[in-house]
Amino acid sequence: MLRATGVFGFSQVLRILVGLVSSKFVALFLGTTGVGIVGLLQNTLSIITSVTGFGINISGVRMVALANSENDQEQFSKSIVILQRWSIVTGILGVLLTFLLAKPLSIWTFGSVNYVNWFFILSINFIFSSLAVHKMVVLQGTRSMKAIAVSTVIYAVLATCVTIPIYYFFKMDGIVPVLVLTAVLNYLVNWFFSRKIEIIPVQVSVKETISCGIEMIQLGFLLSINVIFGQIMSYLLKLYFNFQNTSESILGLYVVASTLLITYVGMIFSAMSTDFYPRLTILQKENSQVKEMVNDQIEVALLLITPLILGFYFLAPIVIRLLYSKDFLDVVLILKFALLAIIVKAIIWPLAFIILAKGEKKLYFKQELLGDAMNIIFTILLYEYLGLVGIGLAMLFNYAVYGVYVYNVVKNKFQFNFRKNTLGIIVKSTVLGSLAAITVLFIDFPNAYWILLILCLMSICLSCIELNKRINIKEYVLKFRHKLKK
């Protein structure tokens, strides 16, 4: 588990380092308004992808992982063919739907029909993004960890090389070309790395494609409803922030906060989910093994994410200036509670995968529906009363309530419970995170730095001690030094 996280985590770090260059120039060339528009368009594309994609980016991983675990090359090859055919269909559906809704989307997003051509051009995205999803699902389902890690970094480098010059020369007019070209690049990179996965020639009829893919589509359909609802809620929030009559671009600040939490702070979740979900799917019939794996995953998640969160609390103003500009410093207000929410997410995130891995479609639908509904309600209400700080507090409330619900479901239905050691790490991590949140809430920078530095060092010590109990860090360091000497 730690090895897989390490491989993906290292690739995520490299990708982020490359992304630092891109995000810095994007912020300088587009400003808060431009960054907000990019986020709004990406959200719009995500909604259409969710509507036409049937959730096969998640259910497909489950199908491929199960076929791969049976060591039946013919069945495995058939699953790949079926997945590819559905990916082509979903891509075409995305193009058609975008053409039909181009005018309404322009009005809803920008308040005028002047941007219809933008959506016509962006429809190209769906062909390449659906094919890219197919290739990535194959890599995930076969647990091709190194290929995924390397492809992630290469894509980041190529996307940055494309993004910077286009935004430099075209500014806001470069947004649509960048979105299209990065989708093409994503497909080409995923294709290059997935081409080595061996499949044998198989004959799969149209009827068999539909019948064999029925489980994937049934699960994916409910997943897609969840994703659609979540994307719509996110889209509505962005529209709400976009039309706020304030002197600053609230939408831009909200998009940057989301990017920091998902792309940078959330890199560990991305690294772990790539390997964790397929492994959990294979063991999903054995509740005792599921319990042990999920507890292990929670411990690993907290031991890795807590020092990162405390470090981010300590460096937030510096990081925002470095990644963006001083115009984005108010993002710190959102992060005061939002960073603590990520620690809560590290606890509940593996629990939600239990329901997904077991194929419990209705349960998964209910839990995601609850989370999405609470997200928009809490965010709007708390923003109205507390401003930017309320956005982060809403995230914390949402994860807390959602977590209680999910834990009760997996406890009652799948006999899940936390181990004693896991509970100890949960308590220590949440206490450290809560102390950091209280510090930045009542003490301004730079006076908060010393307290945050102490808390950060404490979290690093805790993680090192606990990880050493599990993997003998000293032994790994010695092996690493030995390799370097060679």
Side-chain angles (χ1 to χ4, degrees), residues 35-293:
V35 170
I37 290 174
V38 172
L40 201 53
L41 283 174
Q42 288 175 331
N43 204 160
T44 305
L45 295 176
S46 297
I47 291 174
I48 298 173
T49 299
S50 303
V51 171
T52 60
F54 298 106
I56 61 175
N57 60 316
I58 300 176
S59 60
V61 173
R62 186 175 187 273
M63 182 181 74
V64 173
L66 289 173
N68 188 49
S69 67
E70 294 171 358
N71 295 318
D72 185 338
Q73 189 64 22
E74 183 178 356
Q75 188 60 38
F76 173 74
S77 299
K78 283 186 176 182
S79 69
I80 301 299
V81 172
I82 292 168
L83 181 64
Q84 182 178 32
R85 289 177 178 177
W86 278 100
S87 298
I88 293 171
V89 170
T90 58
I92 294 172
L93 286 174
V95 172
L96 294 175
L97 187 61
T98 306
F99 264 82
L100 288 173
L101 297 178
K103 186 175 180 179
L105 286 172
S106 178
I107 295 171
W108 297 337
T109 307
F110 300 106
S112 76
V113 296
N114 297 333
Y115 299 90
V116 171
N117 289 335
W118 280 24
F119 290 99
F120 285 153
I121 298 171
L122 286 172
S123 65
I124 300 170
N125 274 44
F126 299 104
I127 294 293
F128 291 99
S129 62
S130 62
L131 293 174
V133 164
H134 164 252
K135 302 301 181 185
M136 183 52 68
V137 164
V138 174
L139 290 172
Q140 282 188 264
T142 55
R143 298 181 62 199
S144 305
M145 296 185 292
K146 290 185 179 179
I148 298 173
V150 176
S151 66
T152 300
V153 176
I154 291 177
Y155 168 68
V157 173
L158 293 175
T160 299
C161 292
V162 167
T163 299
I164 293 175
I166 291 177
Y167 282 145
Y168 175 76
F169 287 107
F170 299 101
K171 301 296 188 296
M172 304 281 276
D173 291 333
I175 292 175
V176 172
V178 163
L179 291 175
V180 173
L181 289 174
T182 50
V184 175
L185 284 173
N186 191 28
Y187 164 67
L188 292 174
V189 171
N190 288 354
W191 166 81
F192 180 81
F193 283 93
S194 65
R195 77 192 196 286
K196 296 181 181 179
I197 295 175
E198 296 183 6
I199 60 171
I200 61 175
V202 289
Q203 295 294 326
V204 185
S205 65
V206 175
K207 183 178 180 180
E208 191 176 3
T209 299
I210 297 172
S211 61
C212 290
I214 204 83
E215 182 181 353
M216 179 184 71
I217 298 306
Q218 284 179 339
L219 175 60
F221 178 70
L222 274 179
L223 293 178
S224 67
I225 294 176
N226 282 131
V227 175
I228 291 165
F229 189 75
Q231 292 291 351
I232 290 174
M233 293 299 101
S234 179
Y235 179 70
L236 292 175
L237 276 177
K238 287 186 173 72
L239 288 181
Y240 167 76
F241 290 128
N242 191 40
F243 293 108
Q244 292 295 308
N245 295 318
T246 61
S247 58
E248 58 188 356
S249 175
I250 302 299
L251 174 61
L253 297 175
Y254 176 72
V255 169
V256 167
S258 300
T259 302
L260 290 171
L261 295 170
I262 295 170
T263 304
Y264 301 124
V265 179
M267 66 179 178
I268 291 178
F269 295 115
S270 176
M272 289 187 295
S273 65
T274 307
D275 182 65
F276 174 62
Y277 175 47
R279 286 192 299 111
L280 190 65
T281 297
I282 294 170
L283 298 176
Q284 47 93 12
K285 292 183 180 180
E286 301 294 332
N287 284 341
S288 60
Q289 293 185 49
V290 167
K291 172 187 170 181
E292 292 304 309
M293 181 180 289

Side-chain angles (χ1 to χ4, degrees), residues 1-2 295-303 419-426 428 462-476:
M1 191 176 289
L2 282 166
N295 272 281
D296 288 342
Q297 189 66 64
I298 292 171
E299 291 180 11
V300 170
L302 287 174
L303 293 175
R419 293 187 307 230
K420 185 178 179 180
N421 288 341
T422 306
L423 279 173
I425 294 173
I426 288 173
K428 293 171 185 176
L462 170 66
S463 293
C464 288
I465 291 170
E466 292 295 337
L467 286 173
N468 193 57
K469 293 177 182 177
R470 293 158 176 78
I471 63 169
N472 194 343
I473 295 176
K474 184 178 180 180
E475 182 181 333
Y476 275 86

